[in-house]
Amino acid sequence: MIFYMQFNAANIAGIIQITNVKQEPLYYLIRIPPHWKTSYNLLGVSQDVIGSIEQISHSSWPNYQIKIGSNLITKVYHLNNSRHQLMLAPTVHWLITGNLIENNYVVHDFHHQVIMTVDNIYFKNGHEGYLLNINDNAEYKVGILLAAVLNQTSRNTKNKRSLERLKGRQLRVQLKRNINFPSDKN
């Protein structure tokens, strides 16, 4: 099954739209308070709550739990905190690997079968998003919520990298201002 997750500009409003291949809205991910931890509800088109992701740790690489209704489906743990991600969803026996910078992920089960792929894409309107290709045997709502976890991990990293680049540019600008160029007086 193919799904598209379309993020608005920098996720400012905290709303992510999930559509099918025909670009028809199926679900919405809505960020919920408190804002010091990242949690989203998965809503149907009729605004009924289907599931959620909730941040359960307060580190720079937080762990999450995925719920469908009020049932805890799995927790998602970060095992490798580098550019090449390695995460584990133990209850459903899923191993998540991918490139945090490029936002491309593959989810395998314990039989090494591909459960889901997540690829970073750009829509015609200029917004960023994910293309989710979820195996027919997998629970697609869990896959959508897992993609929301991957998006949040990616956003945190992009924000940190942007701040580091900004600091580097400010430093370079200050250095350039202090350079005296010899004048040509001939």
Side-chain angles (χ1 to χ4, degrees), residues 3 5 25 32 43 47 77 84 89 97 126 136 158 164 171:
F3 296 95
M5 289 180 72
I32 56 175
L43 304 178
Q47 302 299 313
Y77 299 104
H84 300 286
T97 59
D136 291 334
K158 284 182 180 179
E164 289 171 3
L171 181 60

Side-chain angles (χ1 to χ4, degrees), residues 66 68 73-74 92 94 116 139-147:
I66 296 176
I68 299 293
I73 301 300
T74 190
V92 291
W94 289 0
M116 179 172 84
E139 175 60 48
Y140 64 90
K141 294 173 190 170
V142 176
I144 290 169
L145 290 166
L146 178 62

Side-chain angles (χ1 to χ4, degrees), residues 23-41:
Q23 297 298 311
E24 301 167 336
L26 298 175
Y27 302 104
Y28 295 95
L29 282 160
I30 308 292
R31 189 165 184 169
I32 56 175
H35 293 290
W36 54 268
K37 68 179 186 178
T38 305
S39 300
Y40 281 88
N41 278 337

Side-chain angles (χ1 to χ4, degrees), residues 67-162:
K67 292 182 177 180
I68 299 293
S70 61
N71 298 328
L72 176 63
I73 301 300
T74 190
K75 294 181 179 180
V76 179
Y77 299 104
H78 284 90
L79 301 176
N80 184 10
N81 300 336
S82 68
R83 176 181 178 171
H84 300 286
Q85 287 291 288
L86 179 62
M87 292 179 273
L88 181 66
T91 309
V92 291
H93 306 289
W94 289 0
L95 182 67
I96 303 104
T97 59
N99 188 317
L100 187 63
I101 307 302
E102 295 175 7
N103 293 329
N104 297 320
Y105 302 93
V106 179
V107 180
H108 293 90
D109 67 5
F110 63 96
H111 293 298
H112 305 288
Q113 293 179 340
V114 174
I115 297 296
M116 179 172 84
T117 60
V118 179
D119 294 302
N120 195 41
I121 60 171
Y122 289 91
F123 291 91
K124 291 179 182 178
N125 61 9
H127 291 195
E128 189 177 5
Y130 283 153
L131 167 65
L132 308 178
N133 189 350
I134 302 174
N135 188 324
D136 291 334
N137 298 331
E139 175 60 48
Y140 64 90
K141 294 173 190 170
V142 176
I144 290 169
L145 290 166
L146 178 62
V149 169
L150 298 174
N151 171 54
Q152 199 55 44
T153 303
S154 169
R155 292 278 175 223
N156 289 343
T157 303
K158 284 182 180 179
N159 291 343
K160 288 177 189 172
R161 283 194 352 246
S162 296

